[in-house]
Amino acid sequence: MAGVLIYSANQGLALELISAARKIEDSVVAVSLNDDSLAQALAGAGAKTLKISNPNLVVGDTGAVAAAIKQVLDKENIDTVLLSSDRRGKELAGRLAQAIGAGCLTDVTAINVDGSKIECQRNALGGATIAVQYIEGPKVIAIRPRSYEAAGAGNGSIEELAVEIKAAGIKVLDFKPKAGDSVNIEAAEILVAVGQGLSDEGKLADVQALASKLGGEVACSKPVATDKKWLSEERIIGLSGKKCKPQLAILLGISGQVQFTVGIRDARVIAAVNTDENAAINYMADYIMQADLHDVIKELNEKL
Amino acid sequence: MNIVVAMKQIPDLQQIRIRNRKPVLDGVPSALGIIDKNALEAAVLIKENQGGKVIVLSAGNEEVEETVKEALAAGADEAFLVLDDDLEGADGSTKGLVLAEAIKKIEDVGLILFGEGSGDNYSGQVGSRVAELLGLPQVGYASSIEINDSSAVITRSLEDGDEIIEVSLPVVVSVQGDINEPRIPSVTQILKAGRKPKEVLELEDLEIDLTGLPEIVTVSNLAPETDRKQVKVASVEELLQALKTEGVI
Ligand SMILES: Cc1cc2nc3c(=O)[nH]c(=O)nc-3n(C[C@H](O)[C@H](O)[C@H](O)COP(=O)(O)OP(=O)(O)OC[C@H]3O[C@@H](n4cnc5c(N)ncnc54)[C@H](O)[C@@H]3O)c2cc1C
């Protein structure tokens, strides 16, 4: 194997990738695209950094980004790439893999090197199982955010590199930042999570009050954030949200489909409140209460 | 302009049982990926507005012919299927090649839609592979699509913001699950679905070489061990007492 290359447009995630890459090889090559501060950070964390500046290269043009990285891989003779499994990284993963004739695994939560194999752990069957897989041949592996610590300070280098990119058929017209929600449900010791059993947005205040009384954070199932838009996507537990391991999770009105439970199964204690006696979530719970969640929240807020 | 919607047949995840930590797939019925249905709905809405045809494209085993009827009932006009038992469980590099080759056989394609991830694997790589194979621009994680003649304005919804993209057609787009609410077909639509045109090919009808592709090897695929107490509590007091005993409140 000839080296490992890492790339993420997100600086924090790129630094995590350096740590992941060091499990494979000590010397890590990193790429920055039209981003000097990223190049500085990568070199500052010990990576041999190839800095690309090209006006035709737009991060929103996945094809152009893949073409640029392919040229770096060819020049450096590298056939293993680690990307971040955020949305940009996942979108890029398949395209880059196709461009270099590689196999591709995304949403990888851990890698383990066994001889020449890089075994990757990832959720399968919607999260019902955890698969361990490796790629034979060139590889593109996208690592789920926060699976590795950011790399500490090191002595890297920066080299400029020229690539050829055709003018893009893609134009970024605008970027509208999402209203920030700085909550970190992955770090919370106690989570009070609500699902579609919650009757209306107005009831969220009681949920927040309960979480505050317990010293925890409010979290939710995916539809509460993406369909109803009652809470930010930062608070989603599950396959396409966060993987949490609190001491206590109180789950209110959540049915317990695998894409949700995969994000909470590492909790130490789980209590589930659901009107349905046979809800799937009950198999995942230590304490099961068949009741209307609104009554339960009210009573808990009174008693705590 | 025609719109191709690539849809994947997956096992109905709600019906998979775990025995000795292994998933039991025997007898589990097939379904279309949930987010693929959002992609179909997006296509049908565009068609209703601007005309053209919606062609559902799927590659898999023989059962796909039956599974895909749901898409024909929900608004697709035609199905283009590549059926071969070898395609069952095929990985992204194989599926990408097969779908790209099939799309080349469909005329006047302006838009190729995918879901952001399949319901089972959620790996999200096939759409990107197809875009690369066809040399087309792509936009992932779309939360809105607006078509104007020969271009589209698409919102790519990222973790920290929405990126508004203008792109020339044809383009490959993968949609997010919240882009729309897929329609539920009526009984008449379901009955009519079987009579809609279908083109069925086998792998050997496509001029592709599937040898020498990178391979994904699965070492193990097990359900995590769960060991939950599953104690029923009858009142809030009982619940609080239990949580105190656990030392978590
Ligand atoms: C590729 C993919 C990725 C996904 N990723 C995620 C993910 O990361 N996270 C996620 O959560 N989902 C995810 N999903 C969606 C997932 O499949 C489920 O649709 C979702 O988790 C269901 O949310 P829910 O339990 O809140 O809603 P529902 O399934 O509608 O359940 C609501 C529950 O509330 C109960 N209830 C109703 N009224 C009351 C009441 N008054 N009191 C108490 N209980 C009540 C009902 O009995 C029911 O059990 C994903 C799906 C796909 C296809």
Side-chain angles (χ1 to χ4, degrees), chain A:
Chain A
M1 206 180 319
V4 182
L5 180 133
I6 68 114
Y7 170 74
S8 173
N10 178 306
Q11 183 169 316
L13 302 183
L15 295 178
E16 293 176 13
L17 293 179
I18 294 180
S19 299
R22 289 208 173 113
K23 299 200 66 171
I24 305 167
E25 274 213 17
D26 286 336
S27 65
V28 176
V29 179
V31 187
S32 77
L33 305 177
N34 294 337
D35 188 343
D36 289 354
S37 81
L38 176 61
Q40 295 291 343
L42 293 167
K48 169 182 166 184
T49 304
L50 303 173
K51 186 173 120 177
I52 294 173
S53 310
N54 186 319
N56 284 342
L57 196 54
V58 187
V59 180
D61 184 354
T62 311
V65 173
I69 296 177
K70 177 182 168 20
Q71 290 172 50
V72 177
L73 293 168
D74 289 345
K75 274 192 195 136
E76 297 283 314
N77 195 20
I78 294 177
D79 70 353
T80 300
V81 183
L82 299 189
L83 303 174
S84 52
S85 213
D86 56 345
R87 291 184 191 161
R88 276 206 202 285
K90 268 185 91 166
E91 186 177 329
L92 174 62
R95 184 131 199 174
L96 179 60
Q98 191 61 46
I100 65 170
C104 174
L105 291 169
T106 59
D107 280 335
V108 169
T109 52
I111 54 177
N112 179 36
V113 180
D114 177 10
S116 65
K117 295 174 196 153
I118 304 173
E119 292 185 344
C120 299
Q121 186 178 301
R122 64 186 305 277
N123 294 310
L125 292 174
T129 56
I130 299 172
V132 176
Q133 298 175 303
Y134 64 89
I135 301 167
E136 269 179 0
K139 352 184 180 313
V140 173
I141 299 170
I143 309 267
R144 216 172 136 105
R146 287 167 294 278
S147 298
Y148 288 90
E149 297 282 330
N155 251 332
S157 59
I158 298 183
E159 226 175 274
E160 295 202 18
L161 194 77
V163 294
E164 268 171 50
I165 299 292
K166 280 186 271 167
I170 274 193
K171 211 159 89 192
V172 178
L173 300 179
D174 197 5
F175 186 83
K176 297 181 184 152
K178 283 185 184 157
D181 183 347
S182 58
V183 69
N184 181 3
I185 60 167
E186 284 161 311
E189 292 289 328
I190 293 185
L191 286 176
V192 178
V194 287
Q196 297 203 94
L198 190 73
S199 62
D200 60 273
E201 191 174 4
K203 294 283 183 334
L204 276 176
D206 298 337
V207 180
Q208 181 58 58
L210 176 58
S212 303
K213 284 190 178 185
L214 292 168
E217 298 285 359
V218 174
C220 61
S221 67
K222 188 176 174 214
V224 172
T226 59
D227 299 357
K228 300 194 189 296
K229 309 212 184 292
W230 292 349
L231 288 167
S232 80
E233 292 181 18
E234 287 297 309
R235 295 182 191 262
I236 299 173
I237 294 173
L239 188 65
S240 47
K242 302 284 162 66
K243 202 163 189 305
C244 305
K245 32 181 185 294
Q247 288 294 309
L248 169 65
I250 301 180
L251 310 178
L252 305 162
I254 292 174
S255 59
Q257 299 186 37
V258 291
Q259 295 96 348
F260 172 83
T261 56
V262 61
I264 201 67
R265 65 185 170 211
D266 294 333
R268 186 161 87 72
V269 177
I270 296 179
V273 178
N274 200 303
T275 39
D276 178 2
E277 174 182 20
N278 298 315
I281 197 65
N282 294 348
Y283 298 98
M284 276 294 299
D286 298 292
Y287 299 101
I288 301 164
M289 190 165 170
Q290 189 194 347
D292 187 309
L293 71 93
H294 308 91
D295 299 341
V296 174
I297 293 176
K298 195 158 161 262
E299 230 185 303
L300 280 170
N301 276 332
E302 282 163 12
K303 293 212 157 76
L304 283 165

Side-chain angles (χ1 to χ4, degrees), chain A residues 129, chain B residues 18-23 221-225:
Chain A
T129 56
Chain B
I18 300 290
R19 210 169 291 145
N20 297 327
R21 296 185 61 201
K22 291 202 178 76
N221 185 22
L222 296 174
E225 273 169 300

Side-chain angles (χ1 to χ4, degrees), chain B residues 96-215:
Chain B
L97 266 180
V98 170
L99 296 180
E101 213 51 42
I103 291 166
K104 286 185 195 161
K105 293 187 182 290
I106 302 173
E107 58 184 36
D108 192 22
V109 176
L111 193 58
I112 301 160
L113 294 179
F114 287 79
E116 68 175 83
S118 62
D120 54 348
N121 209 12
Y122 197 55
S123 139
Q125 58 174 289
V126 176
S128 293
R129 284 187 180 273
V130 167
E132 177 68 19
L133 281 161
L134 298 175
L136 295 178
Q138 69 179 102
V139 183
Y141 301 95
S143 61
S144 78
I145 306 171
E146 196 189 302
I147 305 285
N148 319 305
D149 296 330
S150 62
S151 69
V153 174
I154 301 170
T155 304
R156 179 191 267 136
S157 171
L158 296 167
E159 287 87 347
D160 57 347
D162 286 339
E163 192 173 59
I164 321 293
I165 302 269
E166 186 180 47
V167 58
S168 54
L169 302 181
V171 58
V172 176
V173 178
S174 78
V175 309
Q176 280 205 311
D178 59 352
I179 188 172
N180 53 41
E181 189 68 49
R183 67 195 65 192
I184 314 276
S186 68
V187 178
T188 12
Q189 283 168 323
I190 293 170
L191 291 174
K192 278 191 194 147
R195 293 201 293 274
K196 287 193 173 174
K198 234 181 297 179
E199 177 139 359
V200 181
L201 299 186
E202 291 174 21
L203 259 187
E204 57 193 38
D205 298 326
L206 299 172
E207 293 90 44
I208 43 174
D209 181 7
L210 294 174
T211 55
L213 292 179
E215 220 180 310

